[in-house]
Structures are given as C-alpha cells and as structure tokens.
Amino acid sequence: MSEAHKAPGGPERDGGAVTGGPQPEAIRFFGTTWVHHDGGYALRRVAVAVGSLALAALGALILRFAFQGLEFGNVGPFVSVLVVAGFAVCSALAFRRTWDGFGRRPDPASESAADKSAQSLMLIGFIGSLLAYFCRSLVEAPGEKLHRAEYDAARERHERRRNTRTGNPAAKKPGPKGKKRR
C-alpha cells in the first residue's frame, strides 16, 4: 500500500511496519494529495483555479444585473456610487481575510462579535474571496503552506519523541566514577 492511498487517520506504513505517526490534515477540494502532490493534485489545482474564477465572473454578472436594477429604479448617482464602493470595499476586505487565512489559523480565543460581523462582509465581498482562491491556487493548494508547516513540525516532534524512547531505559550507563558531592 503506497503512502498516497492510505486512509486518513490510519497509521503510516514505513516498509510494512506501522509507525503510528501524525497524519496530514485534509484541505478542501484536495484531501491529502497536497502531501506528495499525487492523486490528481495538479488537475485539482487547475479545477479550483478555473472554478473560482468562473464563479467570480458569474458573481460579477449577477451584481451587474443588480446595479441595472438600481438604474431602472432611478435611485440617483449617489446611491449607485455608494453601492459600488460598498461592494468594492467588502470584496477587498474579503480578499485580504481569505488570503490571510491561508497563512495562519484563526485564534479561537479571539472569537468575538467582530469576527461574526466580518462574516457578513465576507458574504457581501464573495468575489474577493473567490479571487483569493484563484490567485492562491495558481501557486499552491489554498492553505498548503500552512498545513505543510504544521505537518512537518508534527512529524519532527514525533520523530524526536520516538528517537528519545528507543533503547532499553533500564540499561542506563553508570555516571563517571569519582568523588561524591556533599
């Protein structure tokens, strides 16, 4: 069984021996293919890039129809400019928030009312969030850098713990012979 086809959460196999090391976390649309860039990883990246760009274009078309509705309603140029500026600001904020989310995890201790109100900004600025997915998928799977750093750190910690436990702890070598300290 190759490492690419192991079940998530199952033990790692190293030459047939079970090592029980840390498991990679799945990324949306990619699963664990980001670890070894196998299992259709490149095709998935292309699909995420094309899909997010197509959805952003569709969203822009829907917003265009909404703005035409404002023109037919004769709301005036001030309201039209205000709506366009509101969507532009919300899209920029959603892009930045999504982009930052690819590089660091949100702090669960700082979950507050401000984070909950930011969800409505993300909903209004959905085009910015989709464009962030598009831009990031041109470079890597969105969130891959963060997940890889966490996975590599977990593997390193696991290896350090495993290496310090090897050997017979009862067979400690006696310390240097010499004078006893008082």
Side-chain angles (χ1 to χ4, degrees), residues 15-163:
V18 176
T19 61
Q23 298 299 312
E25 187 177 342
I27 296 177
R28 183 184 302 156
F29 305 123
F30 292 90
T32 57
T33 60
W34 61 270
V35 177
H36 299 290
H37 293 188
D38 60 355
Y41 172 80
L43 184 61
R44 290 173 192 231
R45 268 190 43 205
V46 168
V48 166
V50 169
S52 60
L53 190 60
L55 286 173
L58 180 64
L61 182 65
I62 291 170
L63 288 178
R64 171 81 171 119
F65 291 140
F67 295 139
Q68 282 181 346
L70 289 175
E71 289 175 5
F72 291 144
N74 276 340
V75 293
F78 177 72
V79 174
S80 294
V81 169
L82 196 63
V83 169
V84 170
F87 272 105
V89 168
C90 288
S91 290
L93 291 172
F95 181 94
R96 180 64 182 191
R97 187 173 170 93
T98 304
W99 191 265
D100 288 345
F102 296 143
R104 61 179 164 80
R105 292 210 184 260
D107 185 17
S110 70
E111 284 289 321
S112 64
D115 289 337
K116 295 189 190 280
S117 68
Q119 289 177 353
S120 60
L121 288 176
M122 294 284 286
L123 183 63
I124 294 169
F126 67 97
I127 292 177
S129 191
L130 289 169
L131 290 176
Y133 259 89
F134 169 73
C135 292
R136 188 58 137 194
S137 62
L138 293 177
V139 178
E140 66 180 7
E144 179 180 347
K145 185 177 182 179
L146 171 67
H147 284 77
R148 186 168 304 281
E150 291 174 350
Y151 179 58
D152 289 344
R155 283 181 43 207
E156 183 180 320
R157 283 191 308 270
H158 174 72
E159 284 299 316
R160 260 189 279 133
R161 281 193 312 262
R162 199 174 78 169
N163 288 338

